[in-house]
Amino acid sequence: MKAKALKSLCLVLVFSVACPALALAQDAESLVKAAFDYMRGKASVSTATMTIHRPDWQRSMTIRAWTLGQSDSIFYIVEPPKDSGNGTLKKGGEMWMYNPKVNRVINLPPSMMSQGWMGSDFSNNDLAKTDSLIKDYVHTLEGSETIDGKKVFHIKSMPKPRAPVVWGMQKLKIREDHIFLQEDYYDEDLQLVKSLTLLDIKPLGGRLYPAKWRMQKAGVKDEYTVVGYEKLEFKDSLPADLFTLSSLRNPRF
Amino acid sequence: MSIDLRMAWRNLWRNPRRTLLTMSAIAFACVLLVFMLSWQFGSYETMINTAVKVQTGHLHVEAADYQDRQDMRLVIKDPQAVTKMVQAAPGVEAYTVRANSFALVSSQERTYGILVVGIDPAREAKVSTLKSIVRQGSFLEPGDHEGALVGRLLAQNLQVKLGDELTVLGQGRDGSIAALVLKVRGIYSSGMDDFDRSSIQMGLQAFQDAFTMEGAAHQVVAICQSLEEVAGAKAYMAAHLPPQKDPGLTVLDWKQLMPGLLQGIEMDLVSGIIFYIILLVVVTFSILNTFLMSILERTHEFGVLMAMGAKPGRLGRLVVMESLAMNLLGVGAGMIMGALITWYFQVQGIDLGAQELMAQYGIVGRIYPRLSWLSLLSGPAVVFVMTLLAALYPTRRLWKLRPVEAMNYA
C-alpha cells in the first residue's frame, strides 16, 4: 500500500515536471502557427516598396503582391518603369519568373533558390519556403520579456529530422498579439546568417501590422534590404487561377 | 700525363666490370634526373599554356577586388583607355575585352545559373582557343547580337542543339533586370569539363546593352609572346594603369588568376624532389660501397706503396683521381644519354593515354618534355657532388694505415 502511494507520488512528480515542458512546446507551436496565420491572413493584396541598400549604391522598386493561403503568391514589379511587368510566381516550393521584354517564363532551378531575389537580401528561398517554418521546424519557448507593456515570446525553432530545410536554426520573437518582431536565421553550424526585423507596427489592412521589414546579413553593417508596405488588404479568398503560369504571363495591375 | 694520373686510369680498369657497373649507376641516375626534370618542366608548361589559352590569358586588367567578389558593379569604366595601354605594353601578343555576369540561362526544358560572358569575337579569337574548339556550328561573327556559344556539357545539360533558343535572365549593372533571348550558334569542347559546363559566350555589344553596362567591361585579357615576357608586361601595365576611382584598377597575372594551377605545380614539384632525394641517396650509398670495397681490397697494395715511401696524401690523391674519372665519365655519359632520350621525346611527344584524367589537369593531347640548361645540369651536378663526397669518405682510411700491418692484411 505504502509502495503504491510512493509510486503514484513519483508519477505525479514526473508529470508535474514533464507537463509544463510539453505544454510549453505546444504553446510555442500554436503561438508560431497563430502568428504566421495572423501575418499572412487567408489571402492578401498589397503594394510595397523594396529598397536594396549597399555602401556605394541603393535601389528601390515598387512591388504589387497577391497571396493565398500559406504558400501561394504572385508578385510583379510596378516601378521603376524599366523593370515594370517582371513577375514572380510562387506555388508550393517552386518558383517561376516572367520577363515581359522577352515574354518568357523561367522555372527557378533548386540551385538558384539560395540566391537573392532581384539582388536583394531576401533569397528566393525566403519567398518560396514561407510555410517551411510551420511545417518543418519544432518550436520551443525559450523565454519572454515585456516591451511597452506587451509580452514578447522568444522561441527557438530547430528543424525536424530529415526535413528539407534551408536553415539550421531560427530564433523568433513574437509579441503576445501574434505580431512577429524578429526572425534570426542560422546555418547548420548555428552561425547567424541574417536577421529580419519587423518595425513600425501600425494599423494596416484592418489589423495591427509591421509596415517595415528589414533584412540584414550578419557581419555586414551597411548592407540591408527594407520592404515598406504602402497598401495592404486582407481578403477571405482570391481566385485560384490567379496563381497560375498563364496568369503570370498576363500581368493584371 | 703524370704518373699518378696514369696509375689512376689503370687502376680504374683493373676491375672493369665493377667500374662499369658503378659508372652506369651514376649515368642511370643522371639520365633519370635529366629526363624527369625535363618532363616535369615540360608538363608544367603544357598545363600553363593550355589553361592560359583556353580562357584566362596571361594577364588581366580589372577592377580591384573583382577577382574575389565577382561583383557586377566592379567594372572598367573606360575599356578603350585600358586596351590602348595594354597594346603598348612590351611582349603583349594580343588582347581582348570581356564582361561577365551570373545569370539564369534557360532552354525549353531546363534552367541553370551560370556565367554569361560578353566577348569581342575578332579579338577573342587571337587570345584564346575558343574559336578553334567550336566543334559544331560556327564561332560568333562580329556584330552578331543574338548569337551564343555553349560548352558541350552545358548544351547537354540544357538539352539544346544548334539554332535553339536560350533565355537569359539576370541583373544589370544598375540593378535592373536584364533579359534577352539568344540563339545557339556554336557548341565548343575544350576538354576541360569545368569550362565546358559553366558558361556561355555572347557578343560584348549585346551584353553591354542587355546588362546596362554603359560601355563598361570587366576584364581586359592579354596574352604574351611567351611565359617569360609576362613579368615585364605586368610591370609595365601596373605602372601605366589609367586612373580610375571606385573601384581602382589592378593587374593580375596567371598565377593570381589560377592559384590552384600554381599550387598543383608546386605540389608536383615537391613530390618530384622527394623522389629525387631518395634516388640520390640510393645511388650515393651504392657508390660509397664500391669505393669502400676498392680501398679495403687494396689494403695490401697500399701497404707496399707506403713501404716504398708513398705518403698517404699521394695515395689519397690517386684514389680521388680514380673516383673523379669514374664520376666524370658516368655523369658525362648520363647527361648525353639523358639529353638524347629527352630530345627524342621532346620532338615526338608522349601520349599518356589517360585523356580523361589529364583533361582535368588541363592537359589535352601529348606531353612534350622540355630540355633546358636547368633540367640538363641541375640533376647531374648534384649527382657529381654527392658521388665525390661518397668517394672522399673511404680515403680517410689511408691516413690510418701502417705499412707493415697493411701488407699483412689478408
Side-chain angles (χ1 to χ4, degrees), chain B residues 127-139:
Chain B
V127 169
S128 70
T129 46
L130 193 60
K131 185 174 183 177
S132 63
I133 58 173
V134 172
R135 314 284 182 201
Q136 285 177 53
S138 60
F139 193 61

Side-chain angles (χ1 to χ4, degrees), chain B residues 290-342:
Chain B
T290 319
F291 284 119
L292 206 57
M293 283 295 294
S294 84
I295 284 184
L296 281 176
E297 72 176 20
R298 283 153 69 192
T299 308
H300 175 77
E301 175 191 326
F302 287 138
V304 174
L305 284 169
M306 280 175 140
M308 292 194 305
K311 295 274 177 299
R314 189 169 179 192
L315 294 181
R317 215 160 52 232
L318 186 72
V319 173
V320 169
M321 267 193 271
E322 284 172 30
S323 66
L324 206 62
M326 189 149 69
N327 208 340
L328 283 174
L329 282 174
V331 169
M335 272 166 65
I336 291 168
M337 282 193 324
L340 284 175
I341 292 173
T342 309

Side-chain angles (χ1 to χ4, degrees), chain A residues 52 54 56-57 59 77 82-83 86 97-99 101-102 104-109 111-112 118-120 223, chain B residues 69 73 103-106 111-114 165 167-169 171 173-181 210 212:
Chain A
I52 303 165
R54 297 288 178 264
D56 52 342
W57 183 82
R59 177 180 153 80
I77 296 177
K82 198 176 163 189
D83 292 339
N86 274 279
M97 292 179 94
Y98 167 75
N99 179 278
K101 204 175 106 199
V102 295
R104 294 282 196 291
V105 170
I106 282 186
N107 177 221
L108 275 183
S111 59
M112 292 301 286
M118 300 285 172
S120 73
E223 292 190 14
Chain B
R69 287 172 48 197
R73 280 184 294 277
L104 286 171
V105 173
S106 169
T111 303
Y112 286 91
I114 53 159
E165 276 187 352
T167 309
V168 178
L169 194 58
Q171 208 179 13
R173 183 186 165 199
D174 61 350
S176 66
I177 293 159
L180 65 163
V181 175
T212 337

Side-chain angles (χ1 to χ4, degrees), chain A residues 11-12 23 44 59 79 127 129 138 180 192:
Chain A
L11 221 65
V12 168
S44 74
R59 177 180 153 80
E79 294 273 340
L127 304 171
K129 292 215 156 192
V138 180
F180 273 93
L192 183 64

Side-chain angles (χ1 to χ4, degrees), chain A residues 8-242:
Chain A
S8 46
L9 186 68
C10 279
L11 221 65
V12 168
L13 272 176
V14 167
F15 261 105
S16 61
V17 173
C19 275
L22 207 68
L24 277 179
Q26 255 172 6
D27 274 3
E29 206 82 48
S30 54
L31 186 63
V32 174
K33 177 83 173 65
F36 186 84
D37 288 342
Y38 179 89
M39 298 293 284
R40 194 157 166 109
K42 284 177 191 149
S44 74
V45 184
S46 61
T47 307
T49 309
M50 179 185 255
T51 305
I52 303 165
H53 181 88
R54 297 288 178 264
D56 52 342
W57 183 82
Q58 178 161 320
R59 177 180 153 80
S60 289
M61 49 189 161
T62 306
I63 299 158
R64 194 134 170 74
W66 290 259
T67 70
L68 176 65
Q70 286 185 350
S71 62
D72 294 358
S73 52
I74 187 164
F75 30 99
Y76 290 98
I77 296 177
V78 185
E79 294 273 340
K82 198 176 163 189
D83 292 339
S84 180
N86 274 279
T88 303
L89 169 68
K90 191 230 134 192
K91 212 171 153 83
E94 277 201 281
M95 272 178 93
W96 292 266
M97 292 179 94
Y98 167 75
N99 179 278
K101 204 175 106 199
V102 295
N103 193 23
R104 294 282 196 291
V105 170
I106 282 186
N107 177 221
L108 275 183
S111 59
M112 292 301 286
M113 292 307 276
S114 57
Q115 301 289 316
W117 183 76
M118 300 285 172
S120 73
D121 294 301
F122 289 88
S123 72
N124 292 319
N125 263 322
D126 293 341
L127 304 171
K129 292 215 156 192
T130 41
D131 53 343
S132 170
L133 180 67
I134 307 292
K135 284 192 318 195
D136 302 329
Y137 288 83
V138 180
H139 312 282
T140 36
L141 196 59
E142 281 208 311
S144 62
E145 60 185 320
T146 308
I147 299 173
D148 298 336
K150 290 215 168 74
K151 216 167 179 194
V152 175
F153 298 98
H154 294 204
I155 289 163
K156 185 167 98 174
S157 309
M158 299 300 283
K160 290 177 182 166
R162 282 184 294 280
V165 295
V166 184
W167 306 110
M169 176 169 81
Q170 296 191 46
K171 286 198 170 180
L172 317 171
K173 283 183 189 167
I174 301 176
R175 214 163 77 167
E176 60 179 3
D177 51 357
H178 299 158
I179 295 176
F180 273 93
L181 296 184
Q182 187 158 345
E183 202 167 344
D184 294 333
Y185 304 89
Y186 295 78
D187 62 18
E188 53 269 52
D189 301 324
L190 305 186
Q191 296 290 314
L192 183 64
V193 177
K194 56 185 184 181
S195 297
L196 178 67
T197 316
L198 299 98
L199 309 153
D200 193 13
I201 297 164
K202 62 183 187 189
L204 203 62
R207 60 180 81 173
L208 275 177
Y209 203 81
K212 227 180 193 178
W213 299 37
R214 189 174 194 275
M215 183 70 96
Q216 175 141 29
K217 287 217 170 80
V220 261
K221 248 191 172 171
D222 212 18
E223 292 190 14
Y224 56 84
T225 301
V226 178
V227 174
Y229 279 95
E230 284 167 9
K231 267 188 255 164
L232 174 64
E233 192 185 341
F234 287 103
K235 301 209 163 194
D236 277 339
S237 181
L238 281 169
D241 65 3
L242 184 62

